[in-house]
Amino acid sequence: QVQLVESGGGLVQAGGSLRLSCAASGRTFSSYAMAWFRQAPGTERERVAHITWSSGNTYTYYKYSVQGRFTISRDNAKNTVYLQMNNLKPEDTAVYYCAAATTTATTYDVWGQGTQVTVSS
């Protein structure tokens, strides 16, 4: 069973940066699609970014509001996926979750515990 552990959240001023990390257990990490989601109080959980790997190529997706500010990446040798967040805005405040699609390419079925990101204005 894959397990995911996030780290790197915290409090930052608007315009600042944070890097989230998600360490995964499991020998087939490189075959999983990985994603970052976030959920602010009173809102639905939303996908912020995902990264997939196929035939030696890496594909990424970003929610429109974070394009140009967030970068998702993965280090398969370390079984870790990252989310570099720059130029943070108060509306980025949320609990951020790492997720893995371990059985199908599009269903995220394994989740981390979440890490809080708070951006002050």
Side-chain angles (χ1 to χ4, degrees):
Q1 177 69 19
V2 176
Q3 291 186 321
L4 305 175
V5 179
E6 301 105 331
S7 60
L11 173 64
V12 64
Q13 289 188 332
S17 298
L18 285 173
R19 188 176 80 156
L20 305 183
S21 299
C22 173
S25 62
R27 292 176 292 178
T28 57
F29 170 80
S30 62
S31 66
Y32 302 150
M34 300 293 296
W36 287 96
F37 290 74
R38 68 186 181 188
Q39 187 169 21
T43 69
E44 299 267 329
R45 187 175 296 187
E46 61 180 6
R47 183 173 50 182
V48 174
H50 78 228
I51 185 166
T52 59
W53 174 268
S54 176
S55 302
N57 297 309
T58 299
Y59 301 92
T60 58
Y61 155 85
Y62 297 96
K63 176 179 171 63
Y64 179 77
S65 63
V66 308
Q67 287 180 8
R69 300 189 297 121
F70 290 12
T71 302
I72 188 170
S73 62
R74 65 194 298 165
D75 185 337
N76 289 335
K78 295 182 178 180
N79 279 10
T80 302
V81 64
Y82 304 97
L83 186 68
Q84 176 68 45
M85 305 185 294
N86 298 327
N87 190 21
L88 282 160
K89 303 177 180 181
E91 52 263 41
D92 295 318
T93 294
V95 178
Y96 283 70
Y97 299 90
C98 175
T102 67
T103 53
T104 72
T106 57
T107 301
Y108 291 95
D109 55 340
V110 178
W111 294 82
Q113 81 286 356
T115 185
Q116 177 71 46
V117 172
T118 303
V119 184
S120 64
S121 57

